[in-house]
Amino acid sequence: MAERLVIIGGDAGGMGAASQARRRRDDLEIVALERGTRTSFSACGIPYHVAGILDDLDDLVVRTPQEHRDQHRIDVRLRQEATGIDLTERSVEVRDHEHRRTYTLGFDQLCIGTGARPRRPPIPGIDADHVMGVQNLDDAEALLERAHRIRCQDVVVVGGGYIGLEMAEAFVRWGAKVTVVDAASEIMHTLDPDMAALVREAMGHHEIEVLTDVEVLGIEADHVVLGDRTLPADLVILGMGVTPNSELAGTAGLDLGPSDAVAVDRRQRTSADGVWAAGDCATSFHLLRQEPVHIALGTVANRQARVAGVNIGGGYATFPGVIGTAVTRLCGTEVGRTGLSTAEANEAGFGHIVGCVDGSTRAAYFPGATRVRVKILAEQNTGRLLGGQIVGGEGAAKRIDTLATAITAGFTVHDMVDLDLGYAPPLSPVWDPVVIACRVAARDL
Amino acid sequence: MAERLVIIGGDAGGMGAASQARRRRDDLEIVALERGTRTSFSACGIPYHVAGILDDLDDLVVRTPQEHRDQHRIDVRLRQEATGIDLTERSVEVRDHEHRRTYTLGFDQLCIGTGARPRRPPIPGIDADHVMGVQNLDDAEALLERAHRIRCQDVVVVGGGYIGLEMAEAFVRWGAKVTVVDAASEIMHTLDPDMAALVREAMGHHEIEVLTDVEVLGIEADHVVLGDRTLPADLVILGMGVTPNSELAGTAGLDLGPSDAVAVDRRQRTSADGVWAAGDCATSFHLLRQEPVHIALGTVANRQARVAGVNIGGGYATFPGVIGTAVTRLCGTEVGRTGLSTAEANEAGFGHIVGCVDGSTRAAYFPGATRVRVKILAEQNTGRLLGGQIVGGEGAAKRIDTLATAITAGFTVHDMVDLDLGYAPPLSPVWDPVVIACRVAARDL
């Protein structure tokens, strides 16, 4: 009998591993269990569908179940949910929602790619039907269906993380009045508050009300209860980050790590032999903090899946780790961050200095040049780059990649000053703002 | 008497050094000789003024002579040209064009920032008045004045380098018919021909005729003579690169390097004590070729000037070197290159493999996503990145900075595959095209 690989979860973590494994091993039997109705989709694109920028939700599907079947001979089983893993028997219990039956599926190798789900803190009413998150395309479909059906007018986004803010902008474009509430003193906790304030300002210009230092005490059918007031809300969007779907793995006895994500080593192996995990459900190693972390991002999921798949297929690959690079565009403002924020650097015990500059995305005299603020953190004494944050106009965010590459290389701010970067008036000032920020920090060393 | 620093040349190389030196030494007497009428300008912006994108040529002036006087107490002397350097007497012979007199100026330290000028190969007629280059704002003013006066209709650009092509596009926008002629089989010799062909295609769509494998045999008053035909030309633009203005230094006995550029060490010292050089007139060290080269770019000039100025001011700084990073935007197409092209890698004796992909600047489904081709070169066996080239739509070119940083760090294509870069649908695909190109190469190793 052929060796069987079972995949739990039909998105990036699972299917990426499946495709890579297939490339290396033609003989594997591969079964993929997906409790929803779609595979390999770009969840990050959902806000743009809500906003009406993308017409068809299925444009977000990178590879359909049929394509997986045809191109990689993967037995994709939709609406089938893994409900238990038996590590001794090496089998998965499967609930087939389509045919309302349960069966047992043996495996030789197992890859867990169950993803993550929006966090729901214990607020009264948080489990109501109109309190919705967006983690997959089925969620998105349900959300939009409801918004249309109830002729949604007032949306409250609870939590000012990336997805929450992207959904806030999307619902303004959709036609609703949107309020974002955040319990912290500033939105976007992966940025320093002074940088996040620029984003908040941009959101304000797009008629999105942002309330900070505000606790949600309860959610009712048509409003949200804050400490001193209520907000009308016929739809509530969850924007407080995600929590890994790791209950299945935990119950089976697999080791869990930070945030209860499935603990994996550098080859994406879990604590059980022949059992792998990849994507939003799994831990990553943070190259600066030098410890496992849980960072749920599409880039990380895809990279981990590739590594898991190569190893499952008998090859050798390791995932070196992450530094938390992320970009987004909100209300016309581009945002990038990498490495450690000030709070993270403090928590990790790094003494650090800061370089912060207001620069321009193009030569200052060139039409279309927009303001960009770059803030970098460097280690005290050594000058080693620890983190970077960028907020600005068109062309600002992807400059974070230069800092991400430099951090990965262990560059100091001195190394940055003479880095040979590209310059042309329509594309950049002669000294790129990321370099100027490093020069400023270098002066303080 | 105060120690005197004499600067020859009022643009980036000279004035950048002067400002830095002033910051560190308040006591220095600083005299700057500039044979033209402006200081510290962005020559790279000239094509955009010709194109009508920038109204005022003086917007390209970063710092006026008066600002240099006021802010840094630099005695800027316009229309005064250094005509000789006496290293024994430690003096400069100065021709004052304004007052038609010649005088001698002693120095304790001297910084040569004489720049470069467009190459004029020995073609009959190449020295005629209507054969013009653009290296400074005075040139640009003269060029536009002539174009208007003669109601210029037909422009021929000789040579398909960056400036030549930028000027070609500019003159199309200005309203002329433009032909580019290049003796080589493809334009843009700093790119591989297959990448340059994409640029040529873009130029063709903007009604710029590009003729390659064509030698210019002579230039007449109203036409250019090619082998088998003539081209009407009431204006001829030089686009065959530049040659350093190093005659003054050479005659004085200073060592010259490749392309007869003024030879400098890592601190920007010339072969004579207390004599420095920076900018387009000077050599740089190429980090991959590991030898001195002459690369005339604004970024390099500014970096060298900073290093020279710090050292002149009694500090310590070195210029580690260059890898030839350059970007531009031509006819709506963005171009970036860094490190070694295929021809350069061969010449330097590097065995190499290639990764080349067609990708997208944004998530493929996102509106505004444009095609981008990325080509990377990596060393055989080791996989060390040697070079990168990018041609594509909006957002393509500055991705070269990621490759430039990686090359500087000595990264291999394997290091690139798991680099933590930013992803969001409006800004990038989940795997950035520069990473995919490296993945392709990694597979071939």
Side-chain angles (χ1 to χ4, degrees), chain A residues 42 45 48 54 60 299 302-303 323-325 327 365-366 394 398 401-402 405 418-420 422-424 426 428 430 432, chain B residues 42 45 48 54 60 299 302-303 306 323-325 327 365-366 394 398 401-402 405 419-420 422-424 426 428 430 432:
Chain A
S42 164
Y48 309 101
L54 307 173
L60 298 180
T299 46
N302 276 278
R303 282 163 167 73
I323 53 174
T325 310
V327 296
Y365 57 75
F366 204 89
E394 191 198 303
K398 278 290 273 180
D401 288 353
T402 305
T405 308
D418 288 310
L419 208 51
D420 194 356
Y423 155 61
S428 179
V430 67
D432 195 281
Chain B
S42 164
Y48 309 101
L54 308 173
L60 297 181
T299 46
N302 275 279
R303 283 164 167 73
R306 190 191 68 83
I323 52 173
T325 310
V327 296
Y365 57 76
F366 204 89
E394 190 197 303
K398 278 290 272 181
D401 288 352
T402 304
T405 308
L419 208 52
D420 194 356
Y423 155 61
S428 179
V430 68
D432 195 281

Short mmCIF file of all heavy atoms in Angstrom, two decimals, chain A residues 42 45 48 54 60 299 302-303 323-325 327 365-366 394 398 401-402 405 418-420 422-424 426 428 430 432, chain B residues 42 45 48 54 60 299 302-303 306 323-325 327 365-366 394 398 401-402 405 419-420 422-424 426 428 430 432:
data_model
loop_
_atom_site.label_atom_id
_atom_site.label_comp_id
_atom_site.label_asym_id
_atom_site.label_seq_id
_atom_site.Cartn_x
_atom_site.Cartn_y
_atom_site.Cartn_z
N SER A 42 -6.37 33.60 -0.80
CA SER A 42 -5.66 34.73 -0.20
C SER A 42 -6.61 35.44 0.76
O SER A 42 -7.36 36.33 0.36
CB SER A 42 -5.19 35.69 -1.29
OG SER A 42 -4.84 36.94 -0.72
N GLY A 45 -6.82 39.20 0.93
CA GLY A 45 -7.51 39.98 -0.08
C GLY A 45 -8.96 40.28 0.28
O GLY A 45 -9.61 41.09 -0.40
N TYR A 48 -10.48 43.81 0.39
CA TYR A 48 -10.59 44.51 -0.89
C TYR A 48 -11.81 44.04 -1.67
O TYR A 48 -12.33 44.76 -2.52
CB TYR A 48 -9.29 44.34 -1.68
CG TYR A 48 -8.11 44.72 -0.82
CD1 TYR A 48 -7.32 43.75 -0.21
CD2 TYR A 48 -7.85 46.06 -0.52
CE1 TYR A 48 -6.28 44.10 0.64
CE2 TYR A 48 -6.83 46.42 0.32
CZ TYR A 48 -6.05 45.44 0.91
OH TYR A 48 -5.03 45.78 1.76
N LEU A 54 -12.32 44.36 -5.58
CA LEU A 54 -12.28 43.08 -6.30
C LEU A 54 -13.70 42.56 -6.43
O LEU A 54 -14.38 42.37 -5.43
CB LEU A 54 -11.47 42.05 -5.52
CG LEU A 54 -10.06 42.44 -5.09
CD1 LEU A 54 -9.47 41.37 -4.20
CD2 LEU A 54 -9.20 42.68 -6.32
N LEU A 60 -9.77 35.38 -5.39
CA LEU A 60 -8.79 35.21 -4.31
C LEU A 60 -8.31 33.77 -4.18
O LEU A 60 -7.42 33.48 -3.39
CB LEU A 60 -9.38 35.69 -2.98
CG LEU A 60 -9.76 37.17 -2.93
CD1 LEU A 60 -10.32 37.53 -1.55
CD2 LEU A 60 -8.54 38.04 -3.24
N THR A 299 2.87 35.33 4.53
CA THR A 299 4.24 35.07 4.07
C THR A 299 4.86 33.92 4.85
O THR A 299 5.47 33.03 4.28
CB THR A 299 5.12 36.31 4.30
OG1 THR A 299 4.88 36.80 5.62
CG2 THR A 299 4.79 37.38 3.29
N ASN A 302 3.28 30.48 3.96
CA ASN A 302 3.76 29.95 2.70
C ASN A 302 5.18 29.41 2.81
O ASN A 302 5.52 28.37 2.23
CB ASN A 302 3.69 31.02 1.61
CG ASN A 302 2.31 31.11 0.99
OD1 ASN A 302 1.99 30.32 0.10
ND2 ASN A 302 1.48 32.02 1.47
N ARG A 303 6.02 30.13 3.55
CA ARG A 303 7.41 29.69 3.69
C ARG A 303 7.49 28.41 4.52
O ARG A 303 8.23 27.48 4.20
CB ARG A 303 8.23 30.80 4.34
CG ARG A 303 8.60 31.90 3.35
CD ARG A 303 9.03 33.18 4.04
NE ARG A 303 9.65 34.11 3.10
CZ ARG A 303 8.98 34.80 2.17
NH1 ARG A 303 7.66 34.65 2.07
NH2 ARG A 303 9.61 35.61 1.35
N ILE A 323 11.26 37.79 11.37
CA ILE A 323 11.53 39.02 12.11
C ILE A 323 10.29 39.90 12.13
O ILE A 323 10.36 41.08 12.47
CB ILE A 323 12.75 39.79 11.55
CG1 ILE A 323 12.61 40.04 10.05
CG2 ILE A 323 14.03 39.02 11.84
CD1 ILE A 323 13.73 40.91 9.48
N GLY A 324 9.15 39.32 11.75
CA GLY A 324 7.90 40.06 11.89
C GLY A 324 7.70 41.18 10.89
O GLY A 324 7.09 42.20 11.20
N THR A 325 8.18 40.97 9.66
CA THR A 325 7.98 41.99 8.64
C THR A 325 6.52 41.99 8.18
O THR A 325 5.96 40.93 7.93
CB THR A 325 8.88 41.73 7.42
OG1 THR A 325 10.21 41.52 7.87
CG2 THR A 325 8.83 42.88 6.43
N VAL A 327 3.53 44.64 5.91
CA VAL A 327 3.17 45.90 5.26
C VAL A 327 1.67 45.93 5.04
O VAL A 327 1.01 44.90 5.02
CB VAL A 327 3.87 46.07 3.89
CG1 VAL A 327 5.38 46.15 4.03
CG2 VAL A 327 3.49 44.95 2.92
N TYR A 365 11.59 67.60 -5.09
CA TYR A 365 11.05 68.50 -6.11
C TYR A 365 10.18 67.77 -7.13
O TYR A 365 9.57 68.40 -7.99
CB TYR A 365 12.19 69.23 -6.83
CG TYR A 365 13.20 68.31 -7.48
CD1 TYR A 365 12.92 67.64 -8.67
CD2 TYR A 365 14.45 68.08 -6.91
CE1 TYR A 365 13.83 66.79 -9.26
CE2 TYR A 365 15.38 67.23 -7.49
CZ TYR A 365 15.06 66.59 -8.67
OH TYR A 365 15.96 65.75 -9.24
N PHE A 366 10.14 66.44 -7.06
CA PHE A 366 9.47 65.69 -8.12
C PHE A 366 7.97 65.54 -7.85
O PHE A 366 7.56 65.18 -6.76
CB PHE A 366 10.10 64.31 -8.28
CG PHE A 366 9.88 63.73 -9.66
CD1 PHE A 366 10.78 63.99 -10.66
CD2 PHE A 366 8.75 62.99 -9.95
CE1 PHE A 366 10.58 63.50 -11.94
CE2 PHE A 366 8.53 62.50 -11.23
CZ PHE A 366 9.45 62.75 -12.23
N GLU A 394 2.66 56.75 -1.36
CA GLU A 394 2.95 55.71 -2.34
C GLU A 394 4.45 55.43 -2.46
O GLU A 394 5.24 56.34 -2.65
CB GLU A 394 2.40 56.17 -3.70
CG GLU A 394 2.40 55.09 -4.73
CD GLU A 394 2.28 55.70 -6.10
OE1 GLU A 394 1.31 56.42 -6.36
OE2 GLU A 394 3.20 55.47 -6.92
N LYS A 398 7.18 49.29 0.94
CA LYS A 398 8.06 48.19 0.55
C LYS A 398 9.54 48.51 0.80
O LYS A 398 10.39 47.64 0.70
CB LYS A 398 7.82 47.80 -0.91
CG LYS A 398 6.62 46.86 -1.09
CD LYS A 398 6.86 45.45 -0.53
CE LYS A 398 7.53 44.55 -1.57
NZ LYS A 398 7.75 43.17 -1.01
N ASP A 401 11.55 46.29 3.15
CA ASP A 401 12.30 45.09 2.75
C ASP A 401 13.82 45.31 2.85
O ASP A 401 14.57 44.38 3.14
CB ASP A 401 11.94 44.68 1.32
CG ASP A 401 10.54 44.09 1.21
OD1 ASP A 401 9.91 43.88 2.26
OD2 ASP A 401 10.10 43.85 0.08
N THR A 402 14.25 46.54 2.55
CA THR A 402 15.67 46.85 2.67
C THR A 402 16.12 46.70 4.12
O THR A 402 17.17 46.12 4.40
CB THR A 402 15.93 48.30 2.19
OG1 THR A 402 15.41 48.42 0.87
CG2 THR A 402 17.41 48.63 2.19
N THR A 405 16.05 42.97 5.15
CA THR A 405 17.23 42.25 4.65
C THR A 405 18.45 42.61 5.48
O THR A 405 19.25 41.76 5.85
CB THR A 405 17.46 42.60 3.16
OG1 THR A 405 16.24 42.38 2.45
CG2 THR A 405 18.55 41.75 2.55
N ASP A 418 26.45 53.55 3.98
CA ASP A 418 27.07 53.52 2.66
C ASP A 418 26.53 52.44 1.75
O ASP A 418 27.15 52.09 0.75
CB ASP A 418 28.59 53.40 2.81
CG ASP A 418 29.19 54.70 3.31
OD1 ASP A 418 28.87 55.76 2.73
OD2 ASP A 418 29.94 54.67 4.29
N LEU A 419 25.35 51.93 2.10
CA LEU A 419 24.71 50.91 1.28
C LEU A 419 24.40 51.50 -0.10
O LEU A 419 23.92 52.62 -0.20
CB LEU A 419 23.43 50.48 1.99
CG LEU A 419 22.92 49.07 1.77
CD1 LEU A 419 23.99 48.02 1.99
CD2 LEU A 419 21.75 48.83 2.72
N ASP A 420 24.67 50.73 -1.13
CA ASP A 420 24.53 51.22 -2.51
C ASP A 420 23.10 50.96 -3.00
O ASP A 420 22.82 49.96 -3.62
CB ASP A 420 25.56 50.49 -3.39
CG ASP A 420 25.73 51.15 -4.75
OD1 ASP A 420 25.00 52.13 -5.04
OD2 ASP A 420 26.58 50.69 -5.52
N GLY A 422 19.32 52.29 -4.88
CA GLY A 422 18.97 52.94 -6.13
C GLY A 422 18.42 54.35 -5.95
O GLY A 422 17.65 54.61 -5.03
N TYR A 423 18.81 55.22 -6.87
CA TYR A 423 18.32 56.60 -6.84
C TYR A 423 17.96 57.07 -8.24
O TYR A 423 18.73 56.90 -9.18
CB TYR A 423 19.38 57.53 -6.24
CG TYR A 423 19.25 58.97 -6.69
CD1 TYR A 423 18.09 59.69 -6.41
CD2 TYR A 423 20.27 59.59 -7.41
CE1 TYR A 423 17.96 61.01 -6.84
CE2 TYR A 423 20.14 60.90 -7.83
CZ TYR A 423 18.99 61.61 -7.56
OH TYR A 423 18.85 62.90 -7.99
N ALA A 424 16.77 57.64 -8.37
CA ALA A 424 16.37 58.40 -9.55
C ALA A 424 15.23 59.30 -9.09
O ALA A 424 14.40 58.87 -8.29
CB ALA A 424 15.89 57.48 -10.67
N PRO A 426 12.27 60.25 -9.94
CA PRO A 426 10.86 59.83 -9.82
C PRO A 426 10.67 58.69 -8.82
O PRO A 426 9.52 58.32 -8.55
CB PRO A 426 10.53 59.30 -11.23
CG PRO A 426 11.70 59.55 -12.08
CD PRO A 426 12.87 59.83 -11.21
N SER A 428 13.09 58.01 -5.87
CA SER A 428 13.76 58.09 -4.58
C SER A 428 14.58 59.36 -4.48
O SER A 428 15.06 59.86 -5.49
CB SER A 428 14.71 56.89 -4.43
OG SER A 428 15.38 56.92 -3.21
N VAL A 430 18.16 61.13 -3.29
CA VAL A 430 19.51 60.60 -3.47
C VAL A 430 19.95 59.80 -2.23
O VAL A 430 20.62 58.79 -2.34
CB VAL A 430 20.51 61.72 -3.86
CG1 VAL A 430 20.71 62.70 -2.73
CG2 VAL A 430 21.84 61.13 -4.31
N ASP A 432 18.20 57.59 0.39
CA ASP A 432 16.91 56.99 0.70
C ASP A 432 16.56 57.26 2.17
O ASP A 432 17.43 57.19 3.04
CB ASP A 432 16.96 55.49 0.43
CG ASP A 432 15.56 54.89 0.39
OD1 ASP A 432 14.99 54.66 1.47
OD2 ASP A 432 15.04 54.70 -0.72
N SER B 42 20.83 68.89 -8.64
CA SER B 42 20.53 67.52 -9.00
C SER B 42 20.51 67.41 -10.52
O SER B 42 19.51 67.65 -11.17
CB SER B 42 19.15 67.14 -8.44
OG SER B 42 18.69 65.97 -9.08
N GLY B 45 17.88 65.47 -12.37
CA GLY B 45 16.55 66.00 -12.58
C GLY B 45 16.39 66.72 -13.91
O GLY B 45 15.26 67.06 -14.30
N TYR B 48 13.71 65.86 -16.55
CA TYR B 48 12.32 66.12 -16.15
C TYR B 48 11.96 67.59 -16.32
O TYR B 48 10.80 67.94 -16.47
CB TYR B 48 12.08 65.61 -14.73
CG TYR B 48 12.55 64.18 -14.60
CD1 TYR B 48 13.76 63.87 -14.01
CD2 TYR B 48 11.80 63.15 -15.17
CE1 TYR B 48 14.22 62.55 -13.96
CE2 TYR B 48 12.25 61.84 -15.13
CZ TYR B 48 13.46 61.55 -14.51
OH TYR B 48 13.91 60.25 -14.49
N LEU B 54 9.01 69.48 -14.48
CA LEU B 54 9.46 70.45 -13.47
C LEU B 54 9.57 71.81 -14.13
O LEU B 54 10.30 71.97 -15.11
CB LEU B 54 10.84 70.07 -12.93
CG LEU B 54 11.01 68.65 -12.41
CD1 LEU B 54 12.48 68.41 -12.08
CD2 LEU B 54 10.13 68.44 -11.19
N LEU B 60 15.97 72.40 -8.99
CA LEU B 60 16.95 71.32 -8.88
C LEU B 60 18.16 71.69 -8.02
O LEU B 60 19.02 70.87 -7.75
CB LEU B 60 17.43 70.90 -10.28
CG LEU B 60 16.35 70.34 -11.21
CD1 LEU B 60 16.95 69.96 -12.55
CD2 LEU B 60 15.69 69.13 -10.57
N THR B 299 24.41 58.99 -6.24
CA THR B 299 24.48 58.34 -4.93
C THR B 299 25.92 58.17 -4.48
O THR B 299 26.26 58.47 -3.34
CB THR B 299 23.85 56.94 -5.01
OG1 THR B 299 24.35 56.28 -6.16
CG2 THR B 299 22.35 57.03 -5.10
N ASN B 302 27.59 61.56 -3.55
CA ASN B 302 27.17 62.05 -2.23
C ASN B 302 27.82 61.26 -1.10
O ASN B 302 28.24 61.83 -0.09
CB ASN B 302 25.65 61.98 -2.11
CG ASN B 302 24.98 63.21 -2.70
OD1 ASN B 302 24.91 64.24 -2.05
ND2 ASN B 302 24.55 63.11 -3.94
N ARG B 303 27.93 59.96 -1.28
CA ARG B 303 28.53 59.12 -0.23
C ARG B 303 30.02 59.40 -0.12
O ARG B 303 30.57 59.48 0.99
CB ARG B 303 28.27 57.65 -0.54
CG ARG B 303 26.85 57.23 -0.20
CD ARG B 303 26.46 55.92 -0.85
NE ARG B 303 25.24 55.38 -0.28
CZ ARG B 303 24.03 55.87 -0.49
NH1 ARG B 303 23.87 56.92 -1.28
NH2 ARG B 303 22.97 55.33 0.08
N ARG B 306 30.66 62.72 1.63
CA ARG B 306 30.50 62.64 3.08
C ARG B 306 31.77 62.09 3.72
O ARG B 306 32.29 62.63 4.70
CB ARG B 306 29.31 61.75 3.44
CG ARG B 306 28.91 61.80 4.91
CD ARG B 306 27.90 60.70 5.27
NE ARG B 306 28.51 59.40 5.19
CZ ARG B 306 29.23 58.84 6.17
NH1 ARG B 306 29.43 59.48 7.30
NH2 ARG B 306 29.78 57.64 6.01
N ILE B 323 28.39 48.64 -5.69
CA ILE B 323 28.04 47.46 -6.48
C ILE B 323 27.23 47.87 -7.72
O ILE B 323 26.63 47.04 -8.37
CB ILE B 323 27.27 46.41 -5.65
CG1 ILE B 323 26.07 47.03 -4.94
CG2 ILE B 323 28.19 45.77 -4.62
CD1 ILE B 323 25.18 46.00 -4.23
N GLY B 324 27.26 49.18 -8.00
CA GLY B 324 26.66 49.63 -9.25
C GLY B 324 25.14 49.61 -9.27
O GLY B 324 24.54 49.37 -10.31
N THR B 325 24.52 49.89 -8.13
CA THR B 325 23.06 49.93 -8.09
C THR B 325 22.56 51.18 -8.81
O THR B 325 23.07 52.28 -8.59
CB THR B 325 22.55 49.96 -6.64
OG1 THR B 325 23.19 48.92 -5.91
CG2 THR B 325 21.04 49.79 -6.59
N VAL B 327 18.70 52.89 -10.63
CA VAL B 327 17.30 52.75 -11.04
C VAL B 327 16.93 53.92 -11.95
O VAL B 327 17.57 54.96 -11.93
CB VAL B 327 16.33 52.75 -9.82
CG1 VAL B 327 16.57 51.54 -8.92
CG2 VAL B 327 16.44 54.04 -9.02
N TYR B 365 -4.26 39.43 -8.58
CA TYR B 365 -5.68 39.78 -8.73
C TYR B 365 -5.95 41.23 -8.40
O TYR B 365 -7.08 41.71 -8.57
CB TYR B 365 -6.53 38.87 -7.83
CG TYR B 365 -6.17 38.92 -6.37
CD1 TYR B 365 -6.55 40.00 -5.57
CD2 TYR B 365 -5.45 37.90 -5.77
CE1 TYR B 365 -6.20 40.05 -4.23
CE2 TYR B 365 -5.10 37.94 -4.43
CZ TYR B 365 -5.48 39.02 -3.66
OH TYR B 365 -5.14 39.08 -2.35
N PHE B 366 -4.94 41.96 -7.89
CA PHE B 366 -5.21 43.31 -7.39
C PHE B 366 -5.12 44.35 -8.50
O PHE B 366 -4.17 44.36 -9.27
CB PHE B 366 -4.23 43.67 -6.27
CG PHE B 366 -4.79 44.72 -5.35
CD1 PHE B 366 -5.54 44.36 -4.24
CD2 PHE B 366 -4.61 46.07 -5.62
CE1 PHE B 366 -6.09 45.32 -3.41
CE2 PHE B 366 -5.16 47.03 -4.80
CZ PHE B 366 -5.90 46.65 -3.69
N GLU B 394 4.92 50.13 -12.14
CA GLU B 394 5.04 50.91 -10.92
C GLU B 394 5.35 50.04 -9.71
O GLU B 394 4.66 49.05 -9.44
CB GLU B 394 3.71 51.63 -10.67
CG GLU B 394 3.78 52.66 -9.59
CD GLU B 394 2.38 53.00 -9.12
OE1 GLU B 394 1.57 53.42 -9.97
OE2 GLU B 394 2.11 52.84 -7.92
N LYS B 398 12.46 49.90 -7.22
CA LYS B 398 13.10 50.02 -5.91
C LYS B 398 13.24 48.68 -5.20
O LYS B 398 13.92 48.57 -4.18
CB LYS B 398 12.37 51.04 -5.04
CG LYS B 398 12.76 52.49 -5.36
CD LYS B 398 14.20 52.82 -4.92
CE LYS B 398 14.23 53.30 -3.46
NZ LYS B 398 15.63 53.65 -3.06
N ASP B 401 16.70 47.41 -4.27
CA ASP B 401 17.40 47.68 -3.01
C ASP B 401 17.51 46.43 -2.14
O ASP B 401 18.49 46.26 -1.40
CB ASP B 401 16.68 48.78 -2.22
CG ASP B 401 16.84 50.15 -2.86
OD1 ASP B 401 17.62 50.29 -3.82
OD2 ASP B 401 16.18 51.10 -2.38
N THR B 402 16.49 45.58 -2.20
CA THR B 402 16.53 44.34 -1.44
C THR B 402 17.69 43.47 -1.93
O THR B 402 18.44 42.90 -1.14
CB THR B 402 15.20 43.58 -1.61
OG1 THR B 402 14.14 44.44 -1.22
CG2 THR B 402 15.16 42.32 -0.75
N THR B 405 21.07 45.08 -0.98
CA THR B 405 21.40 44.83 0.42
C THR B 405 21.87 43.39 0.61
O THR B 405 22.85 43.12 1.31
CB THR B 405 20.17 45.12 1.31
OG1 THR B 405 19.67 46.42 1.01
CG2 THR B 405 20.52 45.05 2.79
N LEU B 419 13.76 34.85 3.26
CA LEU B 419 13.86 36.22 3.76
C LEU B 419 12.45 36.72 4.11
O LEU B 419 11.50 36.50 3.36
CB LEU B 419 14.48 37.06 2.66
CG LEU B 419 15.26 38.30 3.04
CD1 LEU B 419 16.32 38.00 4.09
CD2 LEU B 419 15.92 38.86 1.79
N ASP B 420 12.34 37.38 5.25
CA ASP B 420 11.04 37.82 5.75
C ASP B 420 10.70 39.20 5.18
O ASP B 420 10.95 40.22 5.80
CB ASP B 420 11.10 37.85 7.29
CG ASP B 420 9.73 37.95 7.93
OD1 ASP B 420 8.73 38.07 7.19
OD2 ASP B 420 9.67 37.92 9.17
N GLY B 422 7.96 42.03 3.19
CA GLY B 422 6.60 42.48 3.40
C GLY B 422 5.64 42.04 2.31
O GLY B 422 5.97 42.04 1.13
N TYR B 423 4.43 41.67 2.74
CA TYR B 423 3.39 41.27 1.78
C TYR B 423 2.06 41.88 2.17
O TYR B 423 1.63 41.83 3.32
CB TYR B 423 3.26 39.74 1.75
CG TYR B 423 1.90 39.25 1.32
CD1 TYR B 423 1.41 39.57 0.04
CD2 TYR B 423 1.10 38.49 2.16
CE1 TYR B 423 0.16 39.13 -0.36
CE2 TYR B 423 -0.15 38.05 1.76
CZ TYR B 423 -0.63 38.38 0.50
OH TYR B 423 -1.87 37.96 0.11
N ALA B 424 1.39 42.48 1.20
CA ALA B 424 -0.01 42.88 1.30
C ALA B 424 -0.50 43.00 -0.14
O ALA B 424 0.24 43.50 -0.99
CB ALA B 424 -0.17 44.20 2.04
N PRO B 426 -2.16 45.00 -2.05
CA PRO B 426 -1.96 46.20 -2.89
C PRO B 426 -0.50 46.52 -3.14
O PRO B 426 -0.18 47.42 -3.91
CB PRO B 426 -2.58 47.34 -2.07
CG PRO B 426 -3.18 46.71 -0.86
CD PRO B 426 -2.62 45.34 -0.70
N SER B 428 2.33 43.88 -2.93
CA SER B 428 3.24 42.79 -3.28
C SER B 428 2.50 41.47 -3.35
O SER B 428 1.52 41.28 -2.63
CB SER B 428 4.34 42.69 -2.22
OG SER B 428 5.23 41.65 -2.50
N VAL B 430 2.52 37.40 -2.39
CA VAL B 430 2.96 36.79 -1.13
C VAL B 430 4.43 36.37 -1.23
O VAL B 430 5.18 36.49 -0.27
CB VAL B 430 2.02 35.64 -0.71
CG1 VAL B 430 2.11 34.47 -1.66
CG2 VAL B 430 2.29 35.20 0.71
N ASP B 432 7.56 37.69 -3.02
CA ASP B 432 8.03 38.82 -3.83
C ASP B 432 8.80 38.29 -5.05
O ASP B 432 9.54 37.31 -4.94
CB ASP B 432 8.95 39.71 -2.97
CG ASP B 432 9.16 41.05 -3.63
OD1 ASP B 432 9.98 41.14 -4.57
OD2 ASP B 432 8.48 42.01 -3.24
#
